[in-house]
């Protein structure tokens, strides 16, 4: 690893964050993001997402940690280095936009361009606002006379006009209605291509995160629990908490019984509310060799690893179940199934198309699981 | 009409404002931005001139700035001037008794500015100084403006402290409020009435205009 003059490593990603602090609030974890990538911080309120963002912007100083952007060190507490926000070249879109109420849209954007002569400042600000789809008439309005979506575009233009090396978005879509949101998503997607800087988005909306993000970082109680592509986190959450936070509904309890007869596969007992009944069904699933035999586990199966089969066509390794609830919501149907042999286990599926025909409450169905999609997580003993 | 007293009062009010505005902006903004254990005591100290009888304030100013006091003696030695019974002494007293009139409204005005605007300014690359001139001061301006008007008008009308510290020397320390008192004492009610009415109308117009302007400024946001 070669070290550049600025102190970052040349082959590091465009954004490298290591934070470890306990006071004034706990904040722990590391983040990585490449240029042109969008990293979404997700988690419940109070998870520390916004604090992480403020730390990156320089509005908060970490107790201990390191932040490097584009090979340039912004924070290194070991060396007593913490650049003020003015010297970071960071674009931040605040949750409530934080537009200056006494300046018109143009004046707000021009604020990021104070290093330029006045005439050029206004010209460039106007160009950025044009690019955001705000014409001359709207540019002359003060924030109070703009809609939520328009204010957000002004805030985005102000952040971009600074030519940021890192773009930070703090719940930018929360105050915008659904229709405007779609337009803004598209704008953001286009921007990502053009900007080629890391973008960090804070959101509590998982769907939004999945839609926009190349990478997810799941945060809870100040800690980054897991980081990776949305698909990876969905298929293989690190633990039950991550599975819950990313909205995986089909999570069950079980006991890992060790390797199966076939190499690379292991036996999983699906335990219900009554605990380890001998009658509980066994699953033969992928064995990654990480879980000791006899260990209590949580396990998940993503919905595309579950297929419904006709009860008459059931194979030996399929499970019998009954429909306990079916809610038809326009194009889709939300179905809850009760497993016949696992007391208390409920399977939730979202169905569309012909699959959902004939699914009424009480109807028997066969459930076929793809053993390759089952992901097993040890229960941590606290 | 005692024009000399009126002009002296106007001069005193203008000089007070000139000294107090920068200091009040600094102190008010500082109080709005910081929080520490002893802040309430500093805020209490700021309000004190408002609640003390003018004679008490005047008495302490007189004994602390008089020629026999350490401060008075030091100022006379260092600068060759006296701090009581002249215009300079009047100015010092006027600055002290106007502190709450400027600091409190300024503090409230800065407190009303959302924190994240200063943060947005910093992230946009504005230095603390640029943020003050371009963001904070324009937003706090209605409050600062009414603070200035209140201070000016209050100085015109101050009586007790001025009498204690300045006496009533024509052209030097005899302000319009003292002149009115003197006229009443010598049964010149017509003369007193002229000046009292002038002060009343001027004060009403000034305060009314500042309130009107503040409301207009606030509306434009």
């Amino acid at each position: 690893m070669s070290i550049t003059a600025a102190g970052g490593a040349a082959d590091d990603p465009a954004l490298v964050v290591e934070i470890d602090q306990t006071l004034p609030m706990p904040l722990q974890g590391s983040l990585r993001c490449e240029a042109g990538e969008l990293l979404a911080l997700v988690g419940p309120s109070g998870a520390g997402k916004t604090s992480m963002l403020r730390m990156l912007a320089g509005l908060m100083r970490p107790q201990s940690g390191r932040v490097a952007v584009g090979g340039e060190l912004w924070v290194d507490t070991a060396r007593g280095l913490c650049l003020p926000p003015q010297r970071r070249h960071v674009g931040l879109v605040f949750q409530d936009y934080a537009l200056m109420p006494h300046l018109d849209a143009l004046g707000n954007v021009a604020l990021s361009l104070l290093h330029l002569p006045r005439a050029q400042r206004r010209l460039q600000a106007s160009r950025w606002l044009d690019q955001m789809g705000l014409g001359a008439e709207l540019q002359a309005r003060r924030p109070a006379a703009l809609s939520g979506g328009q204010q957000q575009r002004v805030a985005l233009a102000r952040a971009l006009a600074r030519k940021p090396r890192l773009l930070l978005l703090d719940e930018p879509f929360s105050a915008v209605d659904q229709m405007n949101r779609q337009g803004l998503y598209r704008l953001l997607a286009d921007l990502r291509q053009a900007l080629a800087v890391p973008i960090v988005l804070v959101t509590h909306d998982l769907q939004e995160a999945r839609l926009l993000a190349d990478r997810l970082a799941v945060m809870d109680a100040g800690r980054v629990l897991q980081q990776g592509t949305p698909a990876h986190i969905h298929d293989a959450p690190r633990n039950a908490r991550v599975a819950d936070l990313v909205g995986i509904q089909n999570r069950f309890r079980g006991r890992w019984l060790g390797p199966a007869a076939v190499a690379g596969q292991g036996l999983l007992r699906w335990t219900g509310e009554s605990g380890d009944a001998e009658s509980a069904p066994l699953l033969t699933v992928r064995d990654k060799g990480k879980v000791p035999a006899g260990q209590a586990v949580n396990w998940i199966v993503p919905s595309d690893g579950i297929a419904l089969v006709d009860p008459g066509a059931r194979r030996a390794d399929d499970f019998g179940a009954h429909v306990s609830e079916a809610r038809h919501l326009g194009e889709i149907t939300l179905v809850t199934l009760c497993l016949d042999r696992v007391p208390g286990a409920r399977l939730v599926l979202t169905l569309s198309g012909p699959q959902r025909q004939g699914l009424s409450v009480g109807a028997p169905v066969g459930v076929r699981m793809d053993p390759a999609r089952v992901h097993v997580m040890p229960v941590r003993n606290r | 009409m005692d024009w000399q007293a009126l002009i002296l009062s106007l001069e005193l009010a203008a000089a007070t404002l000139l000294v107090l505005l920068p200091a009040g902006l600094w102190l008010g903004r500082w109080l709005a931005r910081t929080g520490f254990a002893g802040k309430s005591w500093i805020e209490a100290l700021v309000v004190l001139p408002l609640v003390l009888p003018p004679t008490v304030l005047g008495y302490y100013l007189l004994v602390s700035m008089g020629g026999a006091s350490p401060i008075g003696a030091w100022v006379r030695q260092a600068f060759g001037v006296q701090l009581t019974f002249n215009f300079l002494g009047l100015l010092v007293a006027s600055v002290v008794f106007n502190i709450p009139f400027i600091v409190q409204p300024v503090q409230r005005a800065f407190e009303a500015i959302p924190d994240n605007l200063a943060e947005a300014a910093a992230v946009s690359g504005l230095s603390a100084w640029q943020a003050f001139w371009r963001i904070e001061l324009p937003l706090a301006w209605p409050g600062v403006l009414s603070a200035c008007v209140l201070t000016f008008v209050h100085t015109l009308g101050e009586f007790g402290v001025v009498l204690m510290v300045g006496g009533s020397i024509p052209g030097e320390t005899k302000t319009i409020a003292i002149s009115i008192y003197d006229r009443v004492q010598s049964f010149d009610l017509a003369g007193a009435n002229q000046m009292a009415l002038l002060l009343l109308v001027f004060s009403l117009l000034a305060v009314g205009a500042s309130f009107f302007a503040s409301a207009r400024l606030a509306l434009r946001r």
Side-chain angles (χ1 to χ4, degrees):
Chain A
M1 203 182 272
S2 65
I3 303 294
T4 59
D11 48 356
D12 267 356
L15 171 66
V16 181
V17 184
E18 316 273 353
I19 300 290
D20 186 6
Q21 77 164 19
T22 47
L23 288 170
M25 80 275 268
L27 204 57
Q28 244 171 19
S30 67
L31 300 172
R32 301 275 180 281
C33 187
E34 297 288 350
E37 268 191 350
L38 191 145
L39 167 70
L41 300 182
V42 299
S45 9
K49 307 183 297 278
T50 295
S51 300
M52 195 62 106
L53 216 60
R54 292 171 58 80
M55 199 90 74
L56 293 178
L59 298 171
M60 233 164 89
R61 192 194 177 97
Q63 212 175 26
S64 118
R66 211 175 134 256
V67 175
V69 175
E72 198 182 285
L73 263 183
W74 284 4
V75 177
D76 189 355
T77 49
R79 292 198 224 167
L81 173 77
C82 184
L83 292 187
Q86 288 89 347
R87 290 182 50 203
R88 289 194 182 201
H89 277 275
V90 59
L92 171 56
V93 176
F94 288 75
Q95 187 167 4
D96 57 359
Y97 315 134
L99 296 177
M100 307 305 169
H102 63 301
L103 299 176
D104 58 16
L106 194 70
N108 265 284
V109 179
L111 215 55
S112 300
L113 298 163
L114 284 183
H115 53 283
L116 297 176
R118 194 182 156 78
Q120 220 176 333
R121 215 185 284 163
R122 296 189 73 81
L123 198 72
Q124 280 217 15
S126 170
R127 207 173 296 157
W128 277 110
L129 284 164
D130 278 334
Q131 210 172 324
M132 295 293 127
L134 297 177
E137 194 267 324
L138 292 172
Q139 292 181 12
R141 287 200 201 170
R142 290 180 183 222
L146 294 171
S147 74
Q150 289 163 345
Q151 287 184 35
Q152 201 221 29
R153 285 162 192 263
V154 176
L156 197 56
R158 184 175 69 184
L160 293 173
R162 192 153 159 70
K163 298 247 167 70
R165 291 196 201 125
L166 171 66
L167 182 61
L168 305 172
L169 309 169
D170 189 2
E171 304 247 9
F173 306 106
S174 58
V176 180
D177 62 58
Q178 196 59 40
M179 258 189 31
N180 274 310
R181 216 177 271 202
Q182 296 303 327
L184 288 163
Y185 288 162
R186 228 169 299 133
L187 188 66
L188 192 58
D190 295 344
L191 271 176
R192 253 168 57 186
Q193 309 290 326
L195 273 181
V197 299
I199 304 175
V200 181
L201 165 78
V202 161
T203 180
H204 62 266
D205 184 339
L206 287 165
Q207 227 182 331
E208 186 175 284
R210 264 193 298 254
L211 191 70
L212 298 171
D214 303 292
R215 296 169 74 79
L216 284 186
V218 181
M219 292 190 71
D220 188 33
R223 298 167 67 111
V224 177
L225 298 181
Q226 190 175 3
Q227 197 188 167
T229 62
H232 177 253
I233 292 182
H234 263 264
D235 288 350
R238 181 165 292 159
N239 54 43
R241 183 68 182 147
V242 173
D244 290 346
L245 289 176
V246 298
I248 294 172
Q249 288 175 304
N250 293 315
R251 174 165 74 77
F252 306 103
R253 281 183 293 174
R255 188 166 294 279
W256 185 249
L257 301 180
V262 186
Q265 301 214 304
L267 286 175
L268 171 66
R269 175 174 285 148
W270 187 349
T271 56
E273 274 171 357
S274 52
D276 279 24
E278 281 301 313
S279 62
L282 286 178
L283 289 91
T284 308
V285 299
R286 226 158 18 124
D287 182 7
K288 293 176 194 157
K290 287 180 183 164
V291 185
Q295 165 84 51
V297 295
N298 283 296
W299 62 277
I300 59 153
V301 56
S303 48
D304 48 346
I306 304 171
L308 295 187
V309 293
D310 192 65
R314 259 179 65 187
R315 294 195 316 223
D317 57 348
D318 290 340
F319 301 94
H322 283 83
V323 177
S324 73
E325 201 187 337
R327 271 195 289 164
H328 299 281
L329 307 168
E331 295 275 288
I332 56 163
T333 300
L334 285 179
V335 188
T336 308
L337 305 175
C338 276
L339 271 292
D340 293 344
R341 283 169 60 202
V342 191
R346 281 163 189 282
L347 211 60
V348 181
L349 293 176
T350 306
L351 300 175
S352 59
Q355 257 196 310
R356 45 190 200 141
Q357 277 158 22
L359 283 181
S360 51
V361 173
V365 286
V367 176
R368 184 170 297 167
M369 276 185 205
D370 179 357
R373 301 301 304 272
V374 169
H375 173 72
V376 176
M377 306 162 286
V379 173
R380 270 181 303 168
N381 296 314
R382 294 182 195 227
Chain B
M1 174 62 77
D2 187 348
W3 291 107
Q4 197 183 35
L6 178 66
I7 289 167
L8 182 76
S9 282
L10 289 173
E11 280 172 0
L12 180 65
T16 303
L17 203 54
L18 213 63
V19 174
L20 210 47
L21 183 59
L25 274 177
W26 178 82
L27 183 60
R29 181 178 176 276
W30 179 69
L31 284 172
R33 290 284 134 136
T34 51
F36 57 95
K39 185 177 159 181
S40 301
W41 288 105
I42 295 192
E43 287 175 313
L45 217 58
V46 163
V47 179
L48 208 56
L50 199 62
V51 294
L52 277 181
T55 45
V56 173
L57 195 64
Y59 169 75
Y60 280 113
L61 282 170
L62 197 59
V63 295
S64 62
M65 301 193 309
S69 74
I71 298 177
W74 177 77
V75 169
R76 196 169 45 195
Q77 243 176 16
F79 305 101
V81 291
Q82 200 179 311
L83 280 181
T84 45
F85 302 111
N86 60 9
F87 186 78
L88 187 63
L90 219 54
L91 178 61
V92 173
S94 172
V95 164
V96 170
F97 71 64
N98 272 304
I99 286 174
F101 285 86
I102 202 128
V103 173
Q104 279 217 316
V106 166
Q107 184 184 346
R108 300 287 166 264
F110 278 99
E111 276 170 352
I113 302 174
D115 284 343
N116 66 1
L117 294 190
E119 292 179 346
V123 172
S124 301
L126 273 73
S127 66
W129 190 242
Q130 286 173 322
F132 177 76
W133 283 108
R134 289 175 179 273
I135 311 299
E136 291 180 37
L137 197 55
L139 288 174
W141 187 242
V144 174
L145 182 70
S146 51
C148 290
V149 171
L150 277 181
T151 302
F152 193 88
V153 174
H154 181 234
T155 310
L156 286 187
E158 180 54 35
F159 176 73
V161 180
V162 169
L163 192 61
M164 292 285 283
V165 179
S168 175
I169 306 162
E172 181 75 25
T173 63
K174 189 174 177 184
T175 62
I176 188 157
I178 292 169
S179 184
I180 292 171
Y181 178 74
D182 284 352
R183 294 289 164 100
V184 174
Q185 289 292 301
S186 54
F187 299 105
D188 178 9
L189 288 187
N193 182 39
Q194 260 186 357
M195 288 188 277
L197 194 63
L198 180 75
L199 216 52
L200 176 76
V201 171
F202 177 80
S203 301
L204 182 66
L205 284 179
V207 176
S210 88
F211 284 8
F212 181 73
S214 294
R216 280 288 295 273
L217 282 172
L219 257 184
R220 268 173 53 198
R221 256 182 243 162

